Amino acid sequence: MAAAAASAALSLLQRRGGPAAAAAAATLSCSSSSFSLARLKGSARGRCPAVRGYSSEAKVGEEQELRVRYLDDEHKGIVVLGINRAHSKNALNKNVIKMISKVLEALKSDKKVRTVIFRSEVPGVFCAGADLKERAKMHSSEVSSFVSRARATINDIATLPVPTIAAIDGIALGGGLELALACDIRVAVTSAKMGLVETKLAIIPGAGGTQRLPRTIGVSLAKELIFSGRVVDGNEAKSIGLISHVVEQNEEGDAAYRRALALAREFLPQGPVAMRVAKLAINQGMEVDMLTGLAIEEACYAQTIPTKDRIEGLLAFKEKRPPRYKGE
């Protein structure tokens, strides 16, 4: 019955036509297998150890530039990616982009992962953007290739199937803010500084900023910020909808991260399959008209019907106890 509902929804999308509906149908067609029970049962086999082993396989200098931590106990299911390039204010270079891309590839199919937090391991900074010292040494053809790779990697963050949170405990400029914009939720401290400042360098945001900022705060205001290269603090960012939560910085310098961690803990008790298809439904639905979006929702809902988790949720409700979801 679930398969029939998903098939009907996909048929509706295909009949509606147009590039947006076609793209949504193609995505959902792939997702119907991606979120199938068989895929979910086997998705984590051999994947999680690969992520954990990645840092130890890298050179020592590389290992320190991106720290990947799988949290335990009450935080089990939360993965934290921390950029650690203090000497360059966490500027994104070729190596960091490559490492993030490799980690994301493994996280995509790891069903044990419930939420991913992006943070800085360097006090007072989230990410200062692209590594301009490295950029200055590149040939123009290399610049184009690097920006394409960075754009693809940041887009992989946006399409990661689990919730993502950016914990902005300091400056987030250029590519740093673009990385944060690719996350589902952004948390920042009042003292944070955020902006797409590329026009000051006679270029434009090239890793999704011209597309995600307008979708986040509105077209007119996004144009104003990009045209001016203006930098906003945490309070202004909250007032314009750039971030979801703003907090005062603490003595340890990780107040945004702690708030992000608290949010991630709120997500942990929910059904893993439901969380993934909810994100897919929202992301795809925002790119199409309402009727097409409702068809996407129908197809995504159908993915939850045959799961053991759905039965467990009903049983837990009947027995008045917390559900024990397994992502099946």
Side-chain angles (χ1 to χ4, degrees), residues 160-225:
L160 202 63
V162 298
T164 53
I165 307 173
I168 306 172
D169 273 304
I171 62 171
L173 303 176
L177 182 56
E178 288 179 300
L179 189 157
L181 282 166
C183 293
D184 300 312
I185 300 167
R186 287 162 296 284
V187 180
V189 291
T190 55
S191 57
K193 302 297 181 183
M194 292 159 273
L196 296 179
V197 297
E198 286 86 349
T199 52
K200 293 182 177 182
L201 296 173
I203 56 175
I204 69 170
T210 63
Q211 303 306 305
R212 292 192 176 93
L213 188 63
R215 286 168 166 81
T216 302
I217 66 173
V219 174
S220 182
L221 187 53
K223 286 179 178 178
E224 181 180 329
L225 292 183

Side-chain angles (χ1 to χ4, degrees), residues 35 40 111 113-115 161-163 265-279 303-304 307-314 322-328:
F35 289 107
L40 285 167
K111 78 167 186 177
V113 177
R114 302 292 185 85
T115 299
V162 298
R265 285 184 63 181
E266 289 186 43
F267 303 159
L268 291 179
Q270 321 311 331
V273 178
M275 294 290 281
R276 289 177 176 235
V277 294
K279 177 171 177 173
Q303 299 298 315
T304 67
T307 64
K308 293 180 180 179
D309 280 350
R310 185 181 72 88
I311 303 302
E312 165 61 15
L314 293 173
R324 296 183 289 270
Y325 296 128
K326 298 180 180 179
E328 300 178 350

Side-chain angles (χ1 to χ4, degrees), residues 44-56:
R45 294 172 186 167
R47 305 298 296 184
C48 193
V51 180
R52 289 195 172 100
Y54 176 65
S55 292
S56 63

Side-chain angles (χ1 to χ4, degrees), residues 33-321:
S33 59
S34 298
F35 289 107
S36 68
L37 191 56
R39 175 68 179 272
L40 285 167
K41 282 182 176 178
S43 63
R45 294 172 186 167
R47 305 298 296 184
C48 193
V51 180
R52 289 195 172 100
Y54 176 65
S55 292
S56 63
E57 293 168 3
K59 297 177 182 178
V60 174
E62 293 180 349
E63 175 186 346
Q64 296 176 346
E65 291 192 327
L66 181 69
R67 295 177 179 173
V68 182
R69 291 184 292 145
Y70 285 72
L71 305 189
D72 296 315
D73 301 324
E74 72 271 22
H75 298 118
K76 188 174 183 180
I78 300 172
V79 179
V80 180
L81 273 63
I83 304 175
N84 185 43
R85 301 191 73 219
H87 62 284
S88 62
K89 295 184 178 180
N90 283 350
L92 300 172
N93 64 353
K94 291 180 180 178
N95 183 56
V96 169
I97 291 296
K98 179 181 71 175
M99 294 177 74
I100 292 175
S101 179
K102 189 169 184 177
V103 172
L104 291 175
E105 187 61 31
L107 292 177
K108 286 178 185 177
S109 55
D110 188 346
K111 78 167 186 177
K112 294 181 180 179
V113 177
R114 302 292 185 85
T115 299
V116 176
I117 297 175
F118 290 85
R119 68 167 301 191
S120 167
E121 301 285 343
V122 181
V125 59
F126 177 72
C127 174
D131 189 330
L132 297 183
K133 290 183 179 179
E134 181 184 72
R135 180 76 60 85
K137 300 175 183 178
M138 293 181 185
H139 185 272
S140 57
S141 62
E142 291 182 279
V143 173
S144 179
S145 177
F146 172 78
V147 172
S148 294
R149 180 67 183 273
R151 183 185 303 114
T153 299
I154 288 178
N155 197 56
D156 283 343
I157 294 174
T159 58
L160 202 63
V162 298
T164 53
I165 307 173
I168 306 172
D169 273 304
I171 62 171
L173 303 176
L177 182 56
E178 288 179 300
L179 189 157
L181 282 166
C183 293
D184 300 312
I185 300 167
R186 287 162 296 284
V187 180
V189 291
T190 55
S191 57
K193 302 297 181 183
M194 292 159 273
L196 296 179
V197 297
E198 286 86 349
T199 52
K200 293 182 177 182
L201 296 173
I203 56 175
I204 69 170
T210 63
Q211 303 306 305
R212 292 192 176 93
L213 188 63
R215 286 168 166 81
T216 302
I217 66 173
V219 174
S220 182
L221 187 53
K223 286 179 178 178
E224 181 180 329
L225 292 183
I226 290 174
F227 293 167
S228 66
R230 186 185 309 152
V231 174
V232 300
D233 62 19
N235 286 323
E236 185 174 358
K238 176 65 168 62
S239 70
I240 63 176
L242 179 56
I243 62 176
S244 300
H245 302 273
V246 61
V247 293
E248 293 290 339
Q249 188 58 284
N250 56 26
E251 292 184 3
E252 293 79 9
D254 65 352
Y257 169 66
R258 293 192 183 192
R259 184 69 181 94
L261 197 58
L263 279 173
R265 285 184 63 181
E266 289 186 43
F267 303 159
L268 291 179
Q270 321 311 331
V273 178
M275 294 290 281
R276 289 177 176 235
V277 294
K279 177 171 177 173
L280 180 65
I282 295 169
N283 284 357
Q284 290 296 314
M286 290 303 295
E287 302 301 323
V288 298
D289 61 89
M290 177 63 79
L291 288 179
T292 305
L294 291 173
I296 291 171
E297 180 183 79
E298 182 179 358
C300 287
Y301 189 99
Q303 299 298 315
T304 67
I305 294 175
T307 64
K308 293 180 180 179
D309 280 350
R310 185 181 72 88
I311 303 302
E312 165 61 15
L314 293 173
L315 187 61
F317 178 78
K318 180 180 179 181
E319 297 175 353
K320 298 181 180 180
R321 61 169 174 80

